[in-house]
Amino acid sequence: MVNTSGTPGPPSEAVEATARRATSEDLGQGVVRRDHVAAGAITADLLDADAINGKIITGATVQTAAEGPRIVLNAAWLRAIGANGSAIGMEPNDVYPYIYWASVDGSNQAYINVSGSSPSDANIGINSGTLTDADDGDVYRWRTFFGNDFFTAERITVKGAKPFGGLLFLGKNSAQLGSGQDGGSLSLGQGPATLSAASIRAAGVLRSDNVSIVTATITPVANKPTSVTLSGGNIKGKDFRAFVTPVASVPGKTVVGVGVTAVSSSGLTIWVHRTNTTPTIVHWMIIGED
């Protein structure tokens, strides 16, 4: 019944029905319009849905499953976890942001990190998992580091990241290969190269542009020093030394002596003094020094 007294009173059933129809028509079938819902008006401890479509989803943790293979995202990191427990993750909030690959039990991980001494630096380190040295019991890892205009591959301590063991270093104008403490090293630069070790051994033939080793044959005049001059070489160095020795079973008797003069980068003059005219083979060597 409609109230006609002019005083407030309960609405009629017709007015209520009209309000319900207006609301239903305004919302549409199965639709909740944004402009009809106040901000913060919907809260829930659990939302179960087949699909959520939206522009922004904000929350403490977003994950594809509660356990098993899944992707987990929160404010600290993003992780992809496998069925066996191994994981790949990103950690953007560390002093040096990094991506890591964790072992199945989570006790060890390899990672790639970015670092630098200034905001514009983006040095990259590729780091292996940790390992315990059977000799000293200390913990190490292997690292390949692309630094500010240099590259290095090295074995480092986990505590303090100090190099300990084999090392490869490449710079703009230099290179170094080292075998660690008390070991040998090879250093290359724009100037001289340095090979340092307790002992150096060549497994094959050792050749050098500052060393020339040749054999000459001289037919002497009997009882008179006879010479032959050899030239045309290109021996590297500034100062030169020569060594000669005759092939003879009668040194000091038939072969009285042998000597050299005019030693240079080009060659030398060899002298043989013999009591007869037998052709004499002479081995000679020139060494150039800096």
Side-chain angles (χ1 to χ4, degrees), residues 17 25 63 112 115 154 241 287:
E25 292 170 358
Q63 60 185 16
I112 299 176
S115 64
E154 56 190 352
R241 299 174 184 270
I287 299 177

Side-chain angles (χ1 to χ4, degrees), residues 196-277:
S196 176
S199 62
I200 299 173
R201 179 178 299 173
V205 176
L206 179 63
R207 299 182 183 275
S208 175
D209 288 344
N210 75 314
V211 178
S212 182
I213 303 174
V214 189
T215 296
T217 299
I218 300 176
T219 301
V221 177
N223 297 310
K224 182 179 180 180
T226 305
S227 68
V228 61
T229 298
L230 305 173
S231 62
N234 185 25
I235 304 165
K236 306 301 182 183
K238 295 180 179 179
D239 299 315
F240 302 92
R241 299 174 184 270
F243 304 88
V244 294
T245 184
V247 178
S249 61
V250 286
K253 182 178 180 181
T254 303
V255 179
V256 180
V258 62
V260 296
T261 57
V263 180
S264 69
S265 64
S266 177
L268 76 174
T269 297
I270 302 174
W271 296 83
V272 172
H273 188 177
R274 190 172 182 134
T275 60
N276 56 30
T277 59

Side-chain angles (χ1 to χ4, degrees), residues 19-282:
R20 285 196 298 271
R21 284 198 303 274
T23 303
S24 176
E25 292 170 358
D26 197 33
L27 293 179
Q29 184 64 34
V31 176
V32 178
R33 285 177 48 179
R34 178 178 177 178
D35 55 354
H36 287 170
V37 180
I42 299 177
T43 61
D45 293 330
L46 176 64
L47 178 62
D48 191 354
D50 292 334
I52 299 176
N53 297 321
K55 294 182 178 179
I56 299 175
I57 299 176
T58 302
T61 299
V62 177
Q63 60 185 16
T64 57
E67 58 183 21
R70 62 196 185 277
I71 296 175
V72 181
L73 170 64
N74 61 30
W77 35 248
L78 168 65
R79 290 194 297 172
I81 303 172
N84 61 356
S86 60
I88 301 174
M90 292 192 307
E91 170 51 84
N93 297 311
D94 201 73
V95 176
Y96 299 137
Y98 63 91
I99 301 173
Y100 67 87
W101 291 259
S103 60
V104 172
D105 62 2
S107 64
N108 204 350
Q109 63 178 232
Y111 63 93
I112 299 176
N113 68 316
V114 61
S115 64
S117 58
S118 71
S120 62
D121 287 339
N123 303 323
I124 293 292
I126 303 176
N127 303 266
S128 73
T130 60
L131 58 99
T132 301
D133 193 297
D135 294 327
D136 60 19
D138 207 347
V139 183
Y140 300 90
R141 71 169 76 247
W142 285 96
R143 174 178 68 174
T144 301
F145 189 75
F146 299 83
N148 191 352
D149 204 24
F150 74 92
F151 164 87
T152 185
E154 56 190 352
R155 186 175 185 260
I156 62 173
T157 60
V158 171
K159 185 178 180 180
K162 297 179 179 179
F164 192 97
L167 167 71
L168 171 63
F169 176 88
L170 301 176
K172 179 180 178 181
N173 299 310
S174 64
Q176 182 178 358
L177 177 65
S179 60
Q181 286 70 14
D182 303 322
S185 66
L186 172 63
S187 298
L188 304 174
Q190 290 183 313
T194 301
L195 177 61
S196 176
S199 62
I200 299 173
R201 179 178 299 173
V205 176
L206 179 63
R207 299 182 183 275
S208 175
D209 288 344
N210 75 314
V211 178
S212 182
I213 303 174
V214 189
T215 296
T217 299
I218 300 176
T219 301
V221 177
N223 297 310
K224 182 179 180 180
T226 305
S227 68
V228 61
T229 298
L230 305 173
S231 62
N234 185 25
I235 304 165
K236 306 301 182 183
K238 295 180 179 179
D239 299 315
F240 302 92
R241 299 174 184 270
F243 304 88
V244 294
T245 184
V247 178
S249 61
V250 286
K253 182 178 180 181
T254 303
V255 179
V256 180
V258 62
V260 296
T261 57
V263 180
S264 69
S265 64
S266 177
L268 76 174
T269 297
I270 302 174
W271 296 83
V272 172
H273 188 177
R274 190 172 182 134
T275 60
N276 56 30
T277 59
T278 302
T280 303
I281 297 174
V282 178

Side-chain angles (χ1 to χ4, degrees), residues 7-21:
T7 59
S12 68
E13 293 181 358
V15 173
E16 291 178 350
T18 301
R20 285 196 298 271
R21 284 198 303 274

